[in-house]
Amino acid sequence: MPDLLSVAAARETVLSVVKPLTATTLPLDKSIHLVLAEEIHSTGDSPPFSKAMVDGYAVGDANLGEGEILQVTQEIFAGAVSHTPLLAGQCARIMTGAPIPTGTAAVVMHERTRPVDLTANAEKLANASFSGDQPHTIQLLESTKAGQNILKKGAAISAGQSLLQPGQPLSPACIGLLADQGITTVAVHPRPTVAILSTGDELVPIGQEPVGAQIRNSNSHLLQAAIHIAGGEPRVIGIARDNLPELRQKITLGLNADILLLSGGVSAGLLDLVPQVLQELGVRKVFHKIRLKPGKPLWFGVYEPENQIAPEITRTRTLVFGLPGNPVSSGVCCELFVKLAIAALRGLYVEKAISTQPALLANDFIHRGDRPTYFPARLEKRGAHIWAMPLKSAGSADLLAYALAEGLIAFPAGDKEYFPGDNVEVLPLF
Ligand code: AMP
Ligand code: MG
């Protein structure tokens, strides 16, 4: 099969026609899991003032010994600023997050002190006001070290510093970082919309009892779930029958998304009409059929406005994947190609190479055929190695084997007998 594209060449081809979706500005809380389209600089120091990292006592001397006795002359709560400097022999009861008073050398944890002589000192401290029954004199149970339990102004972030780069996916931590900087809107790439259309005269919706030679449309659901996890916005169109008018009508609807995923109807059957309809509707074929098992019939093309024939279509560009109908083939093509396209549209940095991992084969396996095979397997980490156990599989319609798989073993093309302990590459799933 020298004329068919390899998986690597097909991935490269897909990437060559995909660019990130035009950025849009969104409120921070609407940008979770989206990808930044701008560089973010800090708006100020973090923390904005030097603060106590524990509940305890701010002391003025960095070299106090264990057993030292200090007068508590003030209390500083989070949110309050003390204008009273610390003098020798004094300390301030300070709460976590409160700004340290002028002259603070260290903060000693509350647990590393003990109250002493509560009454004898009351007179000296008559002018100080205290909440509750805090001790007026404490004894240190440890010596102090300069800077101890203090987070200095700007220790984490200095004003104007570059924080995040375009291409950064916004994790909850990133959202927190931006919130801390007072950044309320961000430029991000939107989620690609992905229309999903299953084709086949034999298909019924999953809520309907199949009769005779009918089967349930599982692909729409599998693909919808995969798109959701990949960060796309699935739009399920449903089922198109294997006839030209219905295919034309429903494919036209699907061309109003960033990606159209079709399942079925791209092989060599007499009613595999999808390639013909796509071409008719002006979708430019980029490739059809690749060197892959399962997934050989994969069709990929691009729809652009210059070859637009349907006036109701407003999208500037739609990537079209015609996935083989067998559920495992559909799923594997989604893993290898559709997810890549979604990642690139989302603005993520993506590697052309598939990120497989080295593993050791746990069982015997005989591979036959001139196509590389992605075979469902359990993965188990033992010591320094991942062991891959091929699952019992009845092939590309065996959803159970695929459902139980934690990864796919990528066996290279060619007949070969494998033995336990042989080196293989695996593509982890999820
Ligand atoms: P096709 O690619 O249309 O030749 O279909 C290949 C195989 O996949 C056939 O056995 C179909 O019945 C099955 N198939 C096609 N579409 C779906 C679907 N949406 N859900 C489950 N199986 C399907
Ligand atoms: Mg079919």
Side-chain angles (χ1 to χ4, degrees), residues 84 141 143 246 319 352 377 414:
T84 316
L141 301 177
S143 57
E246 194 165 333
L319 306 174
K352 286 181 208 158

Side-chain angles (χ1 to χ4, degrees), residues 199-203 240 242 263-267 269 271-274 324-326:
T199 73
D201 284 337
E202 73 278 33
L203 302 176
D242 292 318
S263 99
V266 287
S267 306
L271 286 181
D272 288 340
L273 305 170
V274 166
N326 268 312

Side-chain angles (χ1 to χ4, degrees), residues 112-307:
R112 306 301 299 146
T113 67
R114 69 180 188 93
V116 287
D117 197 15
L118 285 177
T119 47
N121 289 286
E123 201 185 324
K124 289 183 198 163
L125 298 161
N127 296 330
S129 71
F130 287 91
S131 65
D133 55 357
Q134 294 299 320
H136 293 169
T137 308
I138 56 145
Q139 185 174 37
L140 301 184
L141 301 177
E142 66 178 14
S143 57
T144 56
K145 282 196 282 300
Q148 176 186 352
N149 298 320
I150 295 171
L151 189 64
K152 281 245 171 73
K153 174 178 176 355
I157 294 167
S158 51
Q161 183 186 332
S162 172
L163 297 178
L164 299 174
Q165 301 300 313
Q168 169 77 46
L170 292 175
S171 64
C174 290
I175 301 284
L177 171 72
L178 299 179
D180 181 54
Q181 290 291 318
I183 294 168
T184 56
T185 59
V186 275
V188 287
H189 300 285
R191 276 174 212 289
T193 52
V194 184
I196 299 170
L197 177 61
S198 290
T199 73
D201 284 337
E202 73 278 33
L203 302 176
V204 295
I206 61 167
Q208 189 178 319
E209 198 59 37
V211 290
Q214 292 179 329
I215 59 164
R216 295 186 182 93
N217 170 21
S218 58
N219 282 355
S220 280
H221 300 270
L222 184 157
L223 294 171
Q224 182 180 13
I227 297 317
H228 184 79
I229 286 176
E233 210 165 284
R235 293 184 183 166
V236 176
I237 297 177
I239 299 167
R241 302 291 159 210
D242 292 318
N243 65 68
L244 294 171
E246 194 165 333
L247 283 168
R248 280 189 198 116
Q249 188 239 329
K250 292 191 171 163
I251 288 176
T252 302
L253 275 179
L255 289 175
N256 208 4
D258 295 310
I259 296 180
L260 167 58
L261 287 189
L262 291 143
S263 99
V266 287
S267 306
L270 293 177
L271 286 181
D272 288 340
L273 305 170
V274 166
Q276 177 192 332
V277 174
L278 288 172
Q279 226 124 354
E280 246 183 65
L281 290 175
V283 183
R284 177 172 58 87
K285 181 178 89 178
V286 178
F287 62 76
H288 186 194
K289 298 200 174 97
I290 55 168
R291 241 159 85 94
L292 169 65
K293 186 180 174 182
K296 181 181 161 195
L298 179 67
W299 194 102
F300 175 65
V302 183
Y303 180 79
E304 278 159 318
E306 50 267 31
N307 33 42

